[in-house]
Amino acid sequence: MSLNPRIVKESFAHIEPFADKAAAYFYGRLFAENPRLRALFPPAMDTQRDRLFHALTKIVWSLDSPDALAAYLGRLGQDHRKFGVFSEHYASVGRALIATIRTFSGDAWTDEVEAAWTAAYGAAADLMIQSAEESAATSPPWWIAEVLEHERCTGDIAMLAVRPNQPFCYTAGQYVTVQTSRWPRVWRPYSIANAPREDGVLRFHVRAIPAGWVSGSLVRDTRVRETLLLGPPMGSMALDPESDRDLLLVAGGTGLAPLKAIAEQVILSGRHRNIHLVLGARTERDLYDLRDLRLLQSVYPWLHVVPVVSEDPAFDGMRGMASDALSRFHDWDDHDVYVAGPAAMISRTVQQLQMLGVPPPRIHHDALDAGGAGAGG
């Protein structure tokens, strides 16, 4: 059975307008066939349904890019281990998926479309299963991490330091999913805010968002010596090992976390690359880590920290949006650029950088397939 990306994409376009209903139908079919799978998911399924369709959309529209798709599915397979997903579960998922596509395709469903979807799902499942099995040979499905420090920086932002109970290998710029004991089976993504260290400590910057179960718990309720669960590292926003170009880092809010880790990695490497860190916030109070950044800047003179505040007329510094501030400096087209923050901020900044002449291959950011590592819910 051959894979036909064109047919899969065309048929998927028929169900995209019904994403919410299709996702609800999918999980209804899945749990009806295999009720035990319901225990693997959180009580409230709204976020889970959104993530399902987000992942499915990415897979469908990446079918013509096999290398990128294989890397994404590999990470997805590894990550699903933390949910308790095993190889035997994939058949049930496949049947529920095909039933969902068939139901929402209407008259557009044909034997040819079914064959194309069956082949596509089979290939994707094989990659995910293989990656999960390889991962199981070298690492646990999750890590238990003890909270070493918890600092409430503002009413809605906290910085945490944790130490996993087993070696945790990651690259500066990546993120992990976190689960608290207060919300079992609810995982939310957060970027790691420091470069890898010999002591194994990981740091996180967390903003509590309205109705955010995990973020609210991490900011308001978590205490030193408590434990969290960490999923495997994910994300591809990492330093180019072949590049010696200067760096422009553009952060919005707690999007500072992965960019601070990247800056630390450069500093620890001993390579004297100029780093401009443009840090956007709404008010001066929201510049929660500025003191530590200033200290880092005093030790590493090649680091230039530029805070930009958008909603505080009393701020004695640069005002406006971080993306708009970029045009007030010199050209950036000879820099490697990394952007992190809310999705709208990333989109706005990337557009501005392209208008300023930065080649797209030098602009790096995570699509945040996990749902937004800067501010998980």
Side-chain angles (χ1 to χ4, degrees):
M1 190 180 299
S2 60
L3 183 63
N4 193 320
R6 179 185 61 80
I7 293 178
V8 172
K9 290 179 180 179
E10 289 176 355
S11 65
F12 186 66
H14 289 288
I15 71 167
E16 282 187 297
F18 311 102
D20 292 342
K21 292 182 178 180
Y25 182 89
F26 165 81
Y27 281 113
R29 288 290 298 245
L30 179 64
F31 299 151
E33 177 181 332
N34 196 332
R36 293 182 179 179
L37 290 180
R38 183 63 182 89
L40 305 182
F41 295 87
M45 291 291 293
D46 293 351
T47 299
Q48 184 64 35
R49 286 193 287 265
D50 291 343
R51 292 183 177 185
L52 165 73
F53 219 84
H54 178 88
L56 188 57
T57 300
K58 183 175 180 64
I59 290 169
V60 168
W61 295 110
S62 299
L63 288 172
D64 290 323
S65 305
D67 291 343
L69 178 59
Y72 174 69
L73 290 170
R75 294 192 297 270
L76 211 57
Q78 294 173 29
D79 188 59
H80 273 58
R81 292 178 57 218
K82 71 174 187 257
F83 297 111
V85 174
F86 297 102
S87 58
E88 57 265 28
H89 295 146
Y90 283 85
S92 296
V93 172
R95 288 190 290 272
L97 177 63
I98 296 301
T100 301
I101 304 297
R102 181 192 303 117
T103 298
F104 286 87
S105 293
D107 295 339
W109 186 260
T110 65
D111 290 344
E112 186 179 32
V113 172
E114 182 168 357
W117 272 100
T118 301
Y121 177 77
D126 287 345
L127 283 169
M128 292 178 66
I129 292 170
Q130 178 183 351
S131 179
E133 291 175 346
E134 292 173 352
S135 173
T138 59
S139 63
W142 61 77
W143 286 256
I144 300 172
E146 180 184 4
V147 178
L148 306 178
E149 300 174 20
H150 184 282
E151 178 186 356
R152 189 85 173 264
C153 304
T154 70
D156 62 351
I157 296 177
M159 295 192 294
L160 292 78
V162 308
R163 181 183 287 117
N165 65 330
Q166 299 183 57
F168 188 90
C169 298
Y170 71 98
T171 301
Q174 289 190 301
Y175 61 89
V176 301
T177 50
V178 178
Q179 179 183 248
T180 73
S181 60
R182 293 170 180 82
W183 295 104
R185 304 190 304 281
V186 180
W187 296 82
R188 292 293 183 263
Y190 297 96
S191 293
I192 303 171
N194 61 290
R197 298 168 36 153
E198 290 185 2
D199 62 8
V201 171
L202 310 179
R203 295 186 176 275
F204 297 101
H205 299 173
V206 181
R207 181 189 296 276
I209 64 174
W213 295 353
V214 177
S215 64
S217 178
L218 289 173
V219 170
R220 292 186 287 266
D221 304 322
T222 300
R223 300 291 183 265
V224 171
R225 289 189 294 278
E226 289 187 9
T227 58
L228 307 173
L229 294 186
L230 309 180
M234 300 183 73
S236 57
M237 188 178 68
L239 282 172
D240 179 356
E242 304 298 324
S243 176
D244 283 318
R245 284 185 287 269
D246 292 338
L247 300 176
L248 168 63
L249 312 178
V250 188
T254 52
L256 167 65
L259 302 187
K260 187 177 182 182
I262 287 174
E264 282 189 6
Q265 182 175 329
V266 174
I267 292 172
L268 292 173
S269 72
R271 298 161 70 181
H272 293 173
R273 300 169 67 178
N274 285 311
I275 303 173
H276 280 82
L277 171 56
V278 179
L279 176 58
R282 290 171 298 176
T283 68
E284 185 173 7
R285 181 176 174 80
D286 292 319
L287 297 170
Y288 61 91
D289 201 26
L290 187 58
R291 182 177 59 183
D292 192 64
L293 291 173
R294 293 297 193 199
L295 177 62
L296 197 61
Q297 181 177 241
S298 68
V299 176
Y300 185 77
W302 296 272
L303 172 64
H304 311 279
V305 179
V306 183
V308 183
V309 167
S310 61
E311 299 177 10
D312 189 346
F315 178 63
D316 185 19
M318 190 171 294
R319 294 196 294 271
M321 306 296 288
S323 56
D324 298 334
L326 300 178
S327 60
R328 306 179 199 177
F329 299 93
H330 57 75
D331 294 336
W332 302 112
D333 56 356
D334 59 344
H335 287 63
D336 288 335
V337 184
Y338 295 82
V339 186
M345 173 267 175
I346 292 176
S347 177
R348 186 170 56 247
T349 303
V350 169
Q351 291 178 6
Q352 181 70 5
L353 289 165
Q354 292 176 345
M355 290 176 59
L356 293 173
V358 180
R362 295 186 187 171
I363 303 174
H364 308 276
H365 60 89
D366 259 326
L368 299 182
D369 303 307

